[in-house]
Amino acid sequence: MRRIIVLTIVFSFLLASCSAPSTVKNDVVKRENTAFGEWDIPNYFIPKKVHVVGLGDSLTQGVGDERKKGGYFGRVSHRMESWKGVEEIQADNLSKRGRRSDQLIDQLESPEIQAELKKADVIYLTIGGNDLMKVMKANLFDLKMKPFYIELGKFENRLDEIFTILRALNGDAIIVVAGLYNPFTIVMDEVKEFDDILEDWNTAIEGRAMVDGKTCFVPVIDLFDSNANMVYHTDFFHPNAKGYDLMANRFLDQLQACGLEKLSDGELEM
């Protein structure tokens, strides 16, 4: 009987608790419909397919690379795959061994080549070495400085024409152009005057790059001033695989120094 009374009291208490008004204040905080603050999203946030084109002579072609990795061009193109803003790299190497600046101008008249360049996001270029070699061969037994400077004037005009054509086809692409180096230092010590000539040719190339505004000049002369590090191919003219490794590193370092993000309008960054 006592158990029934206790259960009745407990049950009555529970009913009272359920029916009693709640003393807990239930305040609902109303959130204003505010927008996010200013949010700056970099252009490289959404990766895209990047079209890379190689132009010029044997250095961009990768002659002498015993590892068959495409010289500096193949190495740099491969490492570009890890850049911010890159989903995929499409690389087209249009360079050719022995090509001079006048021959490059002729190549740029091809509709097929022009179509490739119009799609390019980055253009890698080496040119001028064979222009110098042409003078060297013509004056091999009577080397004087004057013919090299006569040719330099012509080369500067052709370089202007090359950049004018490239920019008429594509005003947005980044152009990366390398300087020249002196392979004769390791076989002909008596041609030190050639270093002075090279310095002036490199100054011409670098100056044209600066005028363009979206071009990065890459100096490489110091990489090949001797063969102490075994950077030359067996022809003692072209780089070997190790030499191309050094070139690729220099290209990437210089692109960073030139301001890759700025050059690409924020679309690319390492």
Side-chain angles (χ1 to χ4, degrees), residues 83 124 174 176 216 251-260 270:
W83 286 8
Y124 291 102
I174 300 171
V176 190
C216 183
F251 267 72
L252 293 167
D253 289 345
Q254 198 62 23
L255 263 171
Q256 192 76 331
C258 287
L260 174 61
M270 293 186 195

Side-chain angles (χ1 to χ4, degrees), residues 70-190:
Y72 84 84
F73 179 81
R75 287 163 170 79
V76 172
S77 297
H78 175 70
R79 288 169 68 176
M80 285 178 67
E81 293 176 349
S82 64
W83 286 8
K84 299 172 185 176
V86 174
E87 179 183 20
E88 177 186 349
I89 291 292
Q90 178 187 338
D92 294 305
N93 197 338
L94 308 177
S95 59
K96 184 179 180 181
R97 183 174 191 165
R99 180 166 285 148
R100 301 187 308 269
S101 57
D102 58 319
Q103 295 170 326
L104 176 55
I105 291 171
D106 291 340
Q107 184 192 25
L108 294 179
E109 294 177 356
S110 163
E112 292 80 8
I113 300 299
Q114 291 182 1
E116 287 296 319
L117 291 169
K118 287 178 181 178
K119 297 181 294 184
D121 296 295
V122 184
I123 299 170
Y124 291 102
L125 170 65
T126 55
I127 200 68
N130 293 300
D131 297 67
L132 275 170
M133 282 302 299
K134 180 181 177 181
V135 181
M136 176 72 77
K137 291 176 181 177
N139 299 273
L140 189 58
F141 299 105
D142 188 24
L143 284 177
K144 291 183 173 62
M145 298 182 74
K146 185 177 179 180
F148 291 99
Y149 285 95
I150 292 174
E151 187 63 29
L152 174 56
K154 298 176 181 178
F155 174 72
E156 288 179 304
N157 290 334
R158 291 192 291 266
L159 198 59
D160 279 339
E161 187 173 354
I162 289 168
F163 270 85
T164 299
I165 295 171
L166 290 177
R167 285 308 178 204
L169 294 170
N170 189 329
D172 297 322
I174 300 171
I175 300 176
V176 190
V177 58
L180 309 174
Y181 63 87
N182 183 2
F184 303 110
T185 54
I186 63 172
V187 291
M188 299 172 66
D189 291 335
E190 67 274 14

Side-chain angles (χ1 to χ4, degrees), residues 175-227:
I175 300 176
V176 190
V177 58
L180 309 174
Y181 63 87
N182 183 2
F184 303 110
T185 54
I186 63 172
V187 291
M188 299 172 66
D189 291 335
E190 67 274 14
V191 218
K192 293 300 182 183
E193 294 84 356
F194 199 64
D195 285 334
D196 297 329
I197 294 169
L198 268 179
E199 183 178 348
D200 291 329
W201 279 63
N202 280 331
T203 298
I205 298 172
E206 183 177 11
R208 191 59 185 81
M210 292 176 64
V211 168
D212 180 70
K214 287 200 70 169
T215 295
C216 183
F217 173 76
V218 183
V220 297
I221 191 169
D222 60 303
L223 301 180
F224 303 102
D225 58 1
S226 76
N227 200 30

